Amino acid sequence: MIPQPYQYARTPLTEPDWRRLPGWHRVTEHEWRDAQWQRAHCVKNPRQLKDVVGDLLTDDFYGDLAADQAEFATMAMLITPQMLNTMAPWAALQPGAFTEAFLADPIRRYMLPVRSDRHPRWPSHPKAGRDSLHEADMWVVEGLTHRYPNKVLAELVATCPQYCGHCTRMDLVGTSTPQVTKARLVLRPRDRQEQMLDYLKRTPAVRDVVVSGGDVANMPWPQLEAFLMRLLDLGSVRDIRLASKAVVGLPQHWLKPEVVEGMERVASVAARRAVNLAVHTHANHAQSVTPLVAEAARALLDAGVRDVRNQGVLMRGVNATPEDLLDLCFALQGEAGILPYYFYLCDVIPHAEHWRTSVHQAQRLQEAIMGYLPGYATPRIVCDVPHVGKRWVHQAVAYERERGISYWTKNYRTGLEVRQSPDEDVEEALARRHPYYDPLDTLPESGRRWWTERTPAQDGSAGAPHPRTTAPEVTP
């Protein structure tokens, strides 16, 4: 065998034994597979975490966690048993060894951050923003972001079954934390959906609808099915993608008989009308891809969904090595039937500097994973550039490495730009360069000094809420 930088070895998926944890030692398989049991036993605070793991985690860990919750967390703690069970799955069950393994665990790092994880000098980039992608600025009606010419994002709910520490929608999603008073959707769900559907009827150029939130798994299935059926009534809509981290974090939801049967009905209508129906999920490390995840993905595919795809986030300490990315992609594509699709650079949100990677590192990672996976299953590493959208990391038109500023252009305009500059020349607008910023600790000393001279001292505040109000009517 020729030695390679990465050596593939097929690894069967495993479901860690939840009964190894003191609080779950009597939980039956029937209970574990029950979605309602999973939701009812989510961990929402340090006390509930201790009820599960007991003294396996030391007091120092709980103090570190409490400090982060009080000073830096932008997302409330909410972890499903399914997700918690994938943390430190093979750790020795002694307090010191378990705590050490738990702290080092890649899933713990982004689902349950602690104070010592955060960057000591730059917890936030000076350009960090709560709604870093300006999605609310591009609302055409409340919750409907129209950023691309032919695609919209429909935020139906502002909650998830679990909350990831790096959430790009930390401004809106979940309950408030000591640092972040969340913005809120104002309209009643039915009124918001009616306005969305009315806009889509009047805007036939939109052919692609991403149905998200939050997580659509938190929407009662009859309401979600009714909305999807009405989307399918629109002849202009040709692609529908449902965004649900729950395929990985709460696969039990997508295995519920009423959900599977409902998805079969939706998929049948989509097939008759030649609409591409897909589900997008969010796995960041191979440990989280278990047999239950594969079972949920297979149930969706058997119901008639065209694809189940993964959109991960590139994060230091989690998956920012070629080995971690390839292990995850082989687990997804080879064992679970989930197509690796995108890995995003972690967005420039508050308190995320310890997770974020530089554009340069992302470029090297994209090069490193080429050639190992089938072409259709080789994920694209993308930078979601504010005011631009998703761009492959090699598409930067200029890159000033010393200060960590890359520049990007695009080939379309948004309604926001037209409203702000109605008389601007189209060619001039498309030639404009939009900046994106590397994490400061990845810069050379001269670059860090340049930013330090221009940056006020940071505290734990994540800033004021973005003024998310019902968007003005926009004429298509």
Side-chain angles (χ1 to χ4, degrees), residues 358-370:
S358 67
V359 169
H360 174 72
Q361 182 184 12
Q363 291 172 339
R364 300 291 80 78
L365 284 169
Q366 182 74 82
E367 294 161 4
I369 66 174
M370 301 301 291

Side-chain angles (χ1 to χ4, degrees), residues 309-452:
R309 307 182 187 117
N310 185 64
Q311 296 187 146
V313 175
L314 196 64
M315 289 181 282
R316 287 187 282 178
V318 178
N319 56 21
T321 69
E323 293 76 17
D324 284 333
L325 286 182
L326 288 167
D327 284 351
L328 172 56
C329 290
F330 280 117
L332 290 166
Q333 190 265 339
E335 307 301 326
I338 298 173
L339 188 70
Y341 179 39
Y342 278 151
F343 281 99
Y344 294 85
L345 271 67
C346 184
D347 289 321
V348 192
I349 55 171
H351 306 162
E353 284 296 273
H354 66 292
W355 284 308
R356 295 202 310 118
T357 56
S358 67
V359 169
H360 174 72
Q361 182 184 12
Q363 291 172 339
R364 300 291 80 78
L365 284 169
Q366 182 74 82
E367 294 161 4
I369 66 174
M370 301 301 291
Y372 288 94
L373 293 150
Y376 68 88
T378 301
R380 302 169 184 173
I381 300 180
V382 295
C383 183
D384 208 343
V385 183
H387 295 296
V388 175
K390 288 179 282 294
R391 287 292 182 269
W392 298 353
V393 289
H394 287 81
Q395 286 185 283
V397 297
Y399 191 5
E400 206 279 84
R401 289 282 304 281
E402 183 181 15
R403 297 173 183 175
I405 307 174
S406 50
Y407 295 92
W408 311 74
T409 58
K410 59 181 178 177
N411 57 334
Y412 50 82
R413 302 181 75 193
T414 66
L416 173 64
E417 291 168 324
V418 173
R419 293 196 301 273
Q420 291 178 337
S421 305
D423 300 323
E424 185 177 32
D425 178 77
V426 173
E427 290 187 7
E428 180 182 352
L430 298 185
R432 182 183 301 116
R433 294 183 173 191
H434 300 265
Y436 182 84
Y437 305 98
D438 286 347
L440 299 187
D441 67 344
T442 66
L443 307 183
E445 176 58 34
S446 57
R448 294 198 298 270
R449 186 168 58 250
W450 186 87
W451 280 102
T452 299

Side-chain angles (χ1 to χ4, degrees), residues 100-371:
E100 182 179 358
F102 199 73
L103 276 169
D105 187 82
I107 297 172
R108 194 285 306 167
R109 285 183 180 274
Y110 74 91
M111 289 298 304
L112 193 63
V114 293
R115 175 65 181 85
S116 59
D117 292 332
R118 309 286 178 175
H119 197 283
R121 172 62 182 88
W122 297 290
S124 300
H125 194 280
K127 297 292 186 179
R130 290 174 49 129
D131 181 16
S132 65
L133 300 179
H134 307 283
E135 289 180 337
D137 292 333
M138 299 182 198
W139 279 357
V140 287
V141 300
E142 184 183 83
L144 189 68
T145 299
H146 193 168
R147 173 164 54 167
Y148 301 98
N150 309 115
K151 178 172 67 177
V152 296
L153 166 71
E155 297 171 276
L156 296 190
V157 292
T159 61
C160 299
Q162 59 177 25
Y163 293 137
C164 307
H166 62 278
C167 182
T168 189
R169 297 196 182 109
M170 50 76 62
D171 181 54
L172 176 68
V173 170
T175 56
S176 296
T177 72
Q179 295 71 243
V180 182
T181 301
K182 303 284 180 163
R184 286 285 174 256
L185 296 170
V186 176
L187 297 175
R188 295 186 307 171
R190 179 176 297 179
D191 294 339
R192 185 165 58 254
Q193 292 167 32
E194 287 294 335
Q195 289 192 14
M196 290 177 178
L197 291 164
D198 179 66
Y199 178 81
L200 294 174
K201 290 175 186 176
R202 296 184 289 106
T203 317
V206 174
R207 63 174 309 284
D208 183 356
V209 181
V210 178
V211 184
S212 183
D215 190 319
V216 295
N218 267 25
M219 190 172 180
W221 179 260
Q223 295 178 26
L224 178 58
E225 182 175 346
F227 181 79
L228 295 175
M229 290 299 194
R230 293 185 67 186
L231 273 184
L232 288 166
D233 282 338
L234 302 177
S236 54
V237 174
R238 312 311 305 151
D239 279 277
I240 298 174
R241 291 177 275 173
L242 308 182
S244 178
K245 293 178 292 185
V247 177
V248 173
L250 186 63
Q252 294 85 349
H253 170 82
W254 292 105
L255 290 168
K256 292 168 63 176
E258 61 268 32
V259 174
V260 173
E261 292 164 7
M263 186 61 80
E264 288 175 346
R265 291 188 293 269
V266 173
S268 177
V269 173
R272 288 201 305 270
R273 299 182 182 177
V275 174
N276 296 310
L277 177 67
V279 173
H280 285 193
T281 191
H282 182 156
N284 290 321
H285 195 273
Q287 274 176 213
S288 63
V289 186
T290 74
L292 268 171
V293 173
E295 188 178 342
R298 175 49 54 192
L300 288 164
L301 293 169
D302 289 346
V305 169
R306 173 174 173 166
D307 285 304
V308 181
R309 307 182 187 117
N310 185 64
Q311 296 187 146
V313 175
L314 196 64
M315 289 181 282
R316 287 187 282 178
V318 178
N319 56 21
T321 69
E323 293 76 17
D324 284 333
L325 286 182
L326 288 167
D327 284 351
L328 172 56
C329 290
F330 280 117
L332 290 166
Q333 190 265 339
E335 307 301 326
I338 298 173
L339 188 70
Y341 179 39
Y342 278 151
F343 281 99
Y344 294 85
L345 271 67
C346 184
D347 289 321
V348 192
I349 55 171
H351 306 162
E353 284 296 273
H354 66 292
W355 284 308
R356 295 202 310 118
T357 56
S358 67
V359 169
H360 174 72
Q361 182 184 12
Q363 291 172 339
R364 300 291 80 78
L365 284 169
Q366 182 74 82
E367 294 161 4
I369 66 174
M370 301 301 291

